[in-house]
Amino acid sequence: MNLGLKDKVAVVTASSRGLGRAVAEALAAEGAKLALCSRDAGAVGATADEIRKKYGVEVYSASCDVEDCGRVEGFAAEVLERLGAVHVLFANAGGPPPGTIADFTPADFEKAIRLNLLSVISLVHAFLPAIRRQGWGRIIASTSITVKQPAANLALSNVARVGVVAFMKTLAGEHAASNITCNTVAPGYIMTDRVESLIQSKSMKDGMAYDAAEREITAGIPAGRIGRPEEFGSLVAFLASERAAYITGETILIDGGAYRGLM
Ligand SMILES: NC(=O)c1ccc[n+]([C@@H]2O[C@H](COP(=O)([O-])OP(=O)(O)OC[C@H]3O[C@@H](n4cnc5c(N)ncnc54)[C@H](OP(=O)(O)O)[C@@H]3O)[C@@H](O)[C@H]2O)c1
C-alpha cells in the first residue's frame, strides 16, 4: 500500500530511541523527510545518522526538551528553516517515574503535566501554523493505555496524560474541514528501554526476578506477548498517511488486547 508520504516532512519528538525512533523509522521507510529531537543532541544525532544511511532520506536533528515551551518554539523555527514545511507532527515525550499517589508531591504532578500534557500543547502551538499553511496535515499525539484504564503504580502517567485526549479531540473538530487530522495513540506494553526499566522496578517492588515480573505482565495481555516497536511505528505511519484521511478525533489503542473495557 502506498501511504503517500514520500517527501512529506515529519516532526517526531523524543525520538533518539524507543517508540519515537520506531515512528521515525516507519516514516523514513515511506520516504518522508524527518526532524527529530530529544534532550541529548549526541544521542538523537546518532539516531539521525543511522536513519539517513539506512533509508536515504533527509533528517534534521537537534536537542529539544519538550518540557521547555520556549525551546519548542525555537525548534519549530529551525525545522521550517531547514526543511521548508511540516506535514506530520508526532508529539511524543519521555514518561514520568513509576509510583503511587502517596509517593508524589503536587510538584511531581506539575512536572508530569508539563512533560506529558503541556508538551503536546506547546508542540501543536509551535507547528500548527505551518501545517495550516499548506492545507494538509496529520497531528498524532502519543499517550498510553492509562488514558483508558489507569495502571497500578503509574499514578503520574494516569493523571497527567488524560487531558491530551480532550485537547486532541477539540483540535480535531477545529481542523477536520481543513484536511488536518488529529489523533491520539495509546500504547499498552511495547518493548523499549522504558518498559525494561518498568519491569525492573516491578521486580524490585514485588521482590521477584526480572523474568517473573515480565511473565506476570505478559499474563495480563491477551496476545500473550509485549508489543514490538515496529508494530507501533506501523500504526503511526498509517495514521500519518493519505489513506487515513477520514480518521480524526480518535484515541487508538495498541495493546495486544490488554484494555478490558468495551469502548
Ligand atoms: N513503551 C511502552 O510500552 C509505552 C507504553 C505507554 C506509554 N509509553 C510512553 O511513551 C513515551 C515514549 O516511551 P518509550 O518507551 O519510547 O521511552 P524510552 O525508551 O525511555 O525513550 C524515551 C525517548 O524520549 C526522549 N525524551 C525523554 N524526555 C524527553 C524530553 N523532556 N524532551 C525530549 N525528549 C525526551 C529520550 O531521549 P533523551 O533522553 O535524549 O531526551 C528518548 O529518546 C513515554 O512517555 C512513555 O511513558 C510507552
Side-chain angles (χ1 to χ4, degrees):
M1 189 191 290
N2 178 0
L3 294 184
L5 285 167
K6 187 156 172 38
D7 293 330
K8 291 262 191 321
V9 176
V11 176
V12 182
T13 62
S15 47
S16 61
R17 59 178 192 273
L19 300 184
R21 180 179 176 141
V23 167
E25 292 215 32
L27 295 171
E30 295 298 321
K33 299 176 189 175
L34 299 177
L36 309 182
C37 77
S38 82
R39 291 164 304 177
D40 180 339
V44 75
T47 296
D49 287 344
E50 288 169 29
I51 291 178
R52 231 178 261 120
K53 255 184 226 138
K54 188 167 171 190
Y55 301 98
V57 296
E58 194 173 345
V59 186
Y60 171 67
S61 74
S63 159
C64 172
D65 182 341
V66 295
E67 275 189 57
D68 176 347
C69 302
R71 177 62 195 123
V72 166
E73 291 286 339
F75 176 58
E78 291 160 22
V79 171
L80 282 167
E81 197 187 314
R82 299 292 191 107
L83 299 174
V86 174
H87 303 91
V88 177
L89 169 63
F90 178 68
N92 181 41
T100 64
I101 284 178
D103 294 328
F104 298 116
T105 64
D108 296 324
F109 280 92
E110 192 179 343
K111 181 168 169 51
I113 288 166
R114 259 202 319 276
L115 178 63
N116 293 123
L117 171 58
L118 276 177
S119 64
V120 176
I121 296 171
S122 57
L123 283 163
V124 168
H125 186 264
F127 286 100
L128 185 60
I131 292 174
R132 289 187 66 179
R133 269 201 292 282
Q134 81 239 324
W136 189 97
R138 301 284 183 259
I139 302 176
I140 300 148
S142 197
T143 58
S144 165
I145 187 176
T146 60
V147 301
K148 290 271 203 174
Q149 175 173 278
N153 208 42
L154 282 178
L156 294 177
S157 177
N158 294 342
V159 173
R161 294 182 194 275
V162 74
V164 173
V165 175
F167 177 78
M168 292 299 289
K169 187 79 179 172
T170 306
L171 191 70
E174 290 173 358
H175 296 285
S178 317
N179 299 315
I180 299 169
T181 66
C182 306
N183 292 292
T184 301
V185 285
Y189 281 100
I190 312 285
M191 191 48 88
T192 62
D193 292 355
R194 173 165 170 88
V195 163
E196 272 184 39
S197 80
L198 289 177
I199 297 170
Q200 193 69 52
S201 143
K202 177 178 171 53
S203 84
M204 283 161 66
K205 188 167 174 285
D206 298 349
M208 53 170 67
Y210 179 95
D211 287 355
E214 182 173 348
R215 271 197 304 279
E216 207 173 284
I217 287 170
T218 305
I221 305 172
R225 65 177 177 84
I226 288 176
R228 292 187 283 274
E230 58 272 23
E231 293 171 321
F232 182 82
S234 298
L235 168 64
V236 176
F238 177 70
L239 289 174
S241 76
E242 193 56 60
R243 304 291 177 139
Y246 204 54
I247 303 173
T248 195
E250 288 301 318
T251 296
I252 298 162
L253 284 159
I254 169 162
D255 68 348
Y259 172 61
R260 301 294 171 173
L262 290 175
M263 313 274 286

